Amino acid sequence: MTETAGGAEAERLRRFEARVADRSLRLLVIGLGYVGLPVAATFASAGFRVTGLERNAERAAAIARGECPIAGDEPGLAALIARTVADGHLTATSDPVVIEDADVVIVCVDTPVETNHRPEYRALRSALEVLAPNLKNGALVIIESTLSPGTIDRVVRPALEGNGGATLFVGHCPERVMPGRLLANLRTMSRVCGGDSPATSRAMKALYRTIVDAELDEASCVVAELTKTAENTYRDVNIAFANELARVCESAGADFLEVRALVNKSPGRNVLMAGLGVGGHCIPKDPWLLAAAVDERTPLLLVPSARAVNDAMPLHVSRLVEEALGELGRHLSGARVAVLGFAYLAESDDERNSPSEALVTALTACGADVRVHDPFVARFAGSIEDTLRDVDAIVIAVAHRAYESIDWIHARTLVRTPALIDARFVITRALAHDAGFAFRGVGRAR
Ligand SMILES: NC(=O)c1ccc[n+]([C@@H]2O[C@H](COP(=O)([O-])OP(=O)(O)OC[C@H]3O[C@@H](n4cnc5c(N)ncnc54)[C@H](O)[C@@H]3O)[C@@H](O)[C@H]2O)c1
């Protein structure tokens, strides 16, 4: 796994770079989800022959037919998949036999956390188990999945070392994409090329240079692991601060957006947006992946607190619903509540760890009868008008464009009780009042 001779290292790098240049390297991408699919299609469009190995056979078959299984608004992705499959550069399968041909394997499987917040590496381990006995000598295995610091050394290497003695090289190039901008992010965001040696980092740089038009930084694997988990933890902590400030503004009788704009005039301040909480596959779990790497005798304090603050926002919003209904002499128990938006992000179909789900749970636990609408989530994609008819409260949970253009004066004529709660700064208090609604909002003065 490690290299000895400097000359051999230089020669390996030279050969690898030559095969990047003539596109003769065979690439295998394991896991064709939000990360793996755009990665596979982008390398295919750069001229490599790329095979995607996806354990969900239906998904693999759809991709092999040139179809895009991601339903949200992903500019260019469907066309890129159709084109790269049609021209023969991209193919997909669920048969691991394709591993034997791969010179480079890029692992993009999900890496969630257990309910006790420890890393859950079932998908990663299963991918490594299939890889280990089938990899060719000299293959480079790059993990793009987010990892708790130390995982390459503690989990990935030992699993791959059971491969019967072939020489392998291991790297970690964590992904920075966001649903809604997958292709653009992939091409324009800088990346950390963490390698098991400087030559591996440089080889990774040569490969990613073919698809990334931004800085590529060489580092060790553990620095790459720390960088990725730290950047998402930073975001979670900062969103938690915005959410706490928003709650103070509500109680103190001020508008969060106004306070935020003024605070951000102070040099070095950048208060983020408050809202219903955080969701998606990454932000709610990456802080735990970071925290898992600390000495258990001195556990972190700030990071778990930020998680708790953000996780409490759906409950806070359910209290705002209760308040708005109370103003109209109604109880939450027995009320019909429409929740607008179920994905965790505007204009996306990604509903993983969505705070809307936690909101629905909180409202239901209080005895409300909840109906959900989301244009991007198939089972909730009915008409907005039907969803609002005869409800007692409306919660704007996601800032999908469809909700920005709701005619609230017309909506007022549909509902049974006019209570409107905005968790995403989609409507102003003045507009809500003018339309005849009792109004509450995250970060809006009571
Ligand atoms: N979603 C994002 O925006 C994002 C951004 C940056 C980093 N990441 C990280 O990238 C990784 C992947 O995230 P994602 O959102 O693409 O997850 P995902 O769940 O959308 O995709 C993972 C895919 O891997 C497949 N899979 C799992 N185990 C497999 C195996 N052994 N063999 C073949 N296929 C297998 C699953 O069926 C699934 O299709 C995670 O570590 C995540 O933290 C995600």
Side-chain angles (χ1 to χ4, degrees):
M1 197 79 64
T2 48
E3 290 165 90
T4 46
E9 195 169 297
E11 176 55 18
R12 168 171 80 90
L13 181 60
R14 195 196 55 72
R15 270 189 281 119
F16 188 91
E17 285 172 343
R19 296 195 62 200
V20 168
D22 68 13
R23 304 296 195 262
S24 63
L25 285 175
R26 298 296 300 249
L27 270 50
L28 175 71
V29 177
I30 303 192
L32 297 177
Y34 287 91
V35 165
L37 183 53
V39 166
T42 304
F43 273 118
S45 73
F48 293 97
R49 299 220 168 256
V50 183
T51 302
L53 177 60
E54 165 57 55
R55 73 172 166 197
N56 178 334
E58 238 173 74
R59 193 176 178 91
I63 296 164
R65 290 193 298 270
E67 295 164 16
C68 176
I70 296 176
D73 185 15
E74 283 301 343
L77 185 60
L80 190 69
I81 292 166
R83 179 162 61 77
T84 48
V85 168
D87 69 19
H89 283 89
L90 177 64
T91 175
T93 177
S94 47
D95 184 349
V97 74
V98 289
I99 294 169
E100 291 164 12
D101 287 337
D103 300 298
V104 178
V105 179
I106 301 176
V107 179
C108 304
V109 300
D110 39 309
T111 50
V113 290
E114 306 272 10
T115 45
N116 66 3
H117 305 140
R118 303 291 300 172
E120 193 270 81
Y121 286 148
R122 273 187 283 278
L124 179 66
R125 286 182 198 280
S126 74
L128 296 171
E129 263 165 36
V130 190
L131 272 181
N134 296 307
L135 281 167
K136 67 159 78 154
N137 201 40
L140 167 60
V141 178
I142 301 170
I143 313 292
E144 285 209 11
S145 304
T146 307
L147 302 174
S148 180
T151 300
I152 291 282
D153 282 345
R154 277 199 307 273
V155 178
V156 177
R157 265 174 202 289
L160 293 179
E161 269 159 8
N163 73 336
T167 305
L168 301 174
F169 303 94
V170 178
H172 179 39
C173 187
E175 192 52 73
R176 284 176 162 152
V177 295
M178 276 270 290
R181 293 170 240 162
L182 293 173
L183 287 184
N185 286 166
L186 198 49
R187 289 176 178 141
T188 60
M189 292 180 87
S190 78
R191 301 285 288 275
V192 182
C193 296
D196 58 4
S197 73
T200 301
S201 293
R202 280 200 292 282
M204 291 165 68
K205 247 178 113 164
L207 179 64
Y208 282 90
R209 178 51 67 221
T210 62
I211 62 163
V212 175
D213 190 17
E215 269 183 280
L216 296 168
D217 295 298
E218 293 173 36
S220 65
C221 291
V222 73
V223 166
E225 292 169 327
L226 277 158
T227 304
K228 173 65 196 179
T229 47
E231 65 199 33
N232 277 357
T233 304
Y234 178 89
R235 188 156 175 82
D236 195 48
V237 168
N238 280 281
I239 292 172
F241 175 73
N243 282 332
E244 289 223 309
L245 179 60
R247 287 176 44 206
V248 176
C249 289
E250 289 166 25
S251 303
D255 179 31
F256 167 79
L257 288 184
E258 186 183 357
V259 174
R260 172 179 180 262
L262 295 175
V263 171
N264 286 349
K265 288 192 172 184
S266 179
R269 284 16 169 225
N270 182 21
V271 177
L272 300 182
M273 281 297 281
L276 182 60
V278 301
H281 181 46
C282 300
I283 303 285
K285 56 95 178 170
D286 289 353
W288 295 121
L289 292 179
L290 179 73
V294 80
D295 183 340
E296 278 175 11
R297 289 165 300 179
T298 53
L300 301 183
L301 299 175
L302 176 65
V303 171
S305 300
R307 288 280 56 253
V309 168
N310 289 332
D311 281 350
M313 286 309 286
L315 190 60
H316 174 64
V317 170
S318 83
R319 292 201 183 109
L320 295 179
V321 178
E322 206 163 8
E323 276 182 32
L325 283 168
E327 197 177 303
L328 300 167
R330 290 210 55 137
H331 294 290
L332 181 51
S333 175
R336 257 185 233 145
V337 181
V339 171
L340 298 184
F342 197 75
Y344 88 94
L345 187 70
E347 303 301 297
S348 168
D349 68 336
D350 192 346
E351 56 180 280
R352 292 176 294 175
N353 301 311
S354 167
S356 292
E357 186 170 8
L359 173 65
V360 171
T361 305
L363 292 167
T364 308
C366 292
D369 171 14
V370 183
R371 44 172 94 156
V372 179
H373 179 271
D374 193 305
F376 297 99
V377 179
R379 66 189 184 285
F380 299 129
S383 102
I384 299 178
E385 199 158 319
D386 288 349
T387 310
L388 302 187
R389 193 163 283 120
D390 294 329
V391 299
D392 300 304
I394 304 167
V395 185
I396 304 173
V398 182
H400 286 318
R401 278 198 285 274
Y403 306 144
E404 283 168 0
S405 52
I406 290 177
D407 174 348
W408 292 104
I409 293 173
H410 176 61
R412 169 69 185 85
T413 65
L414 300 172
V415 300
R416 186 166 70 179
T417 313
L420 178 55
I421 298 87
D422 181 9
R424 295 291 182 185
F425 302 94
V426 166
I427 181 170
T428 62
R429 170 187 297 283
L431 267 176
H433 280 171
D434 288 352
F437 284 92
F439 179 76
R440 289 289 185 285
V442 167
R444 257 64 66 85
R446 285 192 169 85

